[in-house]
Amino acid sequence: MAAPKFVGEVEWPVTIQLGKGLEGAITCHSRIGYVDGEKGWLVYRGYNIFDLAEHSTYEETAYLLLFGKLPTQKELDDFKGKLLGYRKIPQEVIDTLKSLPKDCHPMAALRTGISVLGCKDTKADEVTVENDTEIAIKLISQMATVAAAIARIRKGQEPVEPDPSLDHTANFLYMALGEKPNDLMIKVMDISMILHADHGMNASTFTCMVVNSSLSDLYSSVCAGVGSLKGPLHGGANERALAEMLPLKDEEEAVEYVRDAIAKKKKIMGFGHRVYKAYDPRAKVLGKYSQEVTERMGMPHLFKIARKVEEEVIAAYGERGIFPNVDFYSGTIYYALGIEVPLFTPIFAVSRVAGWVARVLEYLPENRIFRPRAVYVGDMEKEYVPIDQR
Ligand code: SDX
């Protein structure tokens, strides 16, 4: 069988070797982003993630993902103006969020909030590239407001109105935390948002594409993406990774934690990846900022413990290609910035929505409904037995 080809055009139908969990499968051609799992590279629209993390902003990166080019100043100003114009969410969304049980997971609340946004949009079902592009921009803007409102409401506080003087990420932090973030917080969160914005055909992106391929509305597709991202094998790992590290008092306990997990054959959260068999480049950047932020916020022990966990996991599993992924260090950063653990995955979603909508929009003009098959291994010729005879 031919090896799967992930760069350059393929001729449909393509012959590939498939693994469980659709490993090796190809969904479509894309110009949006590329993950090289052997080299540990991540590229958005041709630009290396290290360059984008260093020089770009989340708004510029979202524009790049959506429209395929770096914006001119005027294009960026217009895009930011649109995001700003959409920030405020309908009162019905806030009322619905307030009606949810206080202990419901913020990702479930986010999914619900997006659903209400869709119900309120009279043009939600007009599935055209033009209309969905507008909804895409709306979602990038409003998911931040919904997630921030959830952060407040679950603590019994009133949502904070958006501040038009702040950029997207700074305004998100302001609305979520209820106070103006400092420069370090804004910078590090913006970098994290850039790093999380897109990542090939991951489970949540694929979920959005599958839903949209039936020509359903973009809100439904993004709701489904949030549901997929919530799981601990995907975006939910950032919460779990930190929750498992917080009780560790020192590096000795970090070693014990890893050795115990290995002995019990437990998956260690924040490690391993379907595509990366080298170090996840996003974890490289986040690891660096984790050290800086935890030190600046007076929590250097948290980084030391995380580093020790990493060293131990790599010593045991590095040869098998298991390294930290994006979800390992992000939590240490958010925690040091004073963000509550249940909000970690919603933050991932607030960023990833750019990749979700970009990929859905790219596929729309050449849409073909996704419809794989399962291998049936059940019975074939059973005789129907009436209920009173069973
Ligand atoms: C994200 O796909 C994306 O791009 C996702 C993402 C994105 O940006 O969208 O990068 C974000 O989801 C990051 C991943 C977050 N999840 C976790 O950190 C949870 C822990 N990691 C894993 O469960 C696992 O590594 C996955 C889910 C990430 C990948 O799953 P695969 O490709 O199905 O790998 P696998 O479960 O088949 O594991 C292969 C082998 C197994 O050993 P063997 O049975 O072959 O002996 O590697 C081992 C696994 O046991 N393994 C691990 C491990 N991850 C894999 N062993 C211990 N700890 C781990 N974390």
Side-chain angles (χ1 to χ4, degrees), residues 33-34 67 86 108 171 188 212 222 238 241 256 308 323 350 362 389:
Y34 176 60
F67 299 109
Y86 282 136
N171 176 60
V188 175
N212 224 82
V222 168
N238 60 12
E256 274 169 37
K308 199 64 186 171
F323 294 97
V350 163
E362 182 185 50
Q389 291 169 35

Side-chain angles (χ1 to χ4, degrees), residues 38 59 64 82 128 143 176 221 223 263 275-276 332 343 376:
E38 301 303 322
E59 286 132 319
L64 172 70
K82 277 199 166 197
T128 62
M143 269 175 64
S221 307
C223 277
V275 181
Y276 288 124
T332 60
L343 280 175
Y376 181 67

Side-chain angles (χ1 to χ4, degrees), residues 148-276:
I150 292 165
R152 303 279 300 167
I153 291 167
R154 62 191 298 278
K155 288 198 290 188
Q157 297 165 331
E158 270 304 305
V160 173
E161 289 283 314
D163 180 338
S165 72
L166 298 174
D167 284 345
H168 183 76
T169 302
N171 176 60
F172 169 58
L173 283 171
Y174 166 62
M175 291 188 300
L177 302 175
E179 50 193 56
K180 294 268 166 76
N182 62 35
D183 289 347
L184 176 72
M185 294 169 84
I186 299 169
K187 178 183 159 207
V188 175
M189 183 57 78
D190 205 51
I191 289 170
S192 183
M193 296 265 289
I194 292 169
L195 297 172
H196 284 82
D198 184 65
H199 207 248
M201 208 42 59
N202 60 83
S204 56
T205 300
F206 183 49
T207 302
C208 291
M209 290 187 63
V210 171
V211 175
N212 224 82
S213 79
S214 72
L215 297 183
S216 188
D217 68 286
L218 195 53
Y219 294 95
S220 297
S221 307
V222 168
C223 277
V226 170
S228 169
L229 189 69
K230 178 172 179 280
L233 293 187
H234 193 10
N238 60 12
E239 297 176 26
R240 300 284 179 99
L242 188 85
E244 287 179 16
M245 277 190 290
L246 277 183
L248 309 175
K249 284 201 263 332
D250 51 31
E251 287 164 279
E252 217 171 287
E253 288 197 10
V255 174
E256 274 169 37
Y257 157 70
V258 176
R259 294 197 179 156
D260 183 59
I262 292 171
K264 293 183 177 142
K265 295 194 182 337
K266 268 173 58 183
K267 290 268 173 77
I268 303 163
M269 291 291 125
F271 288 87
H273 201 274
R274 174 67 62 81
V275 181
Y276 288 124

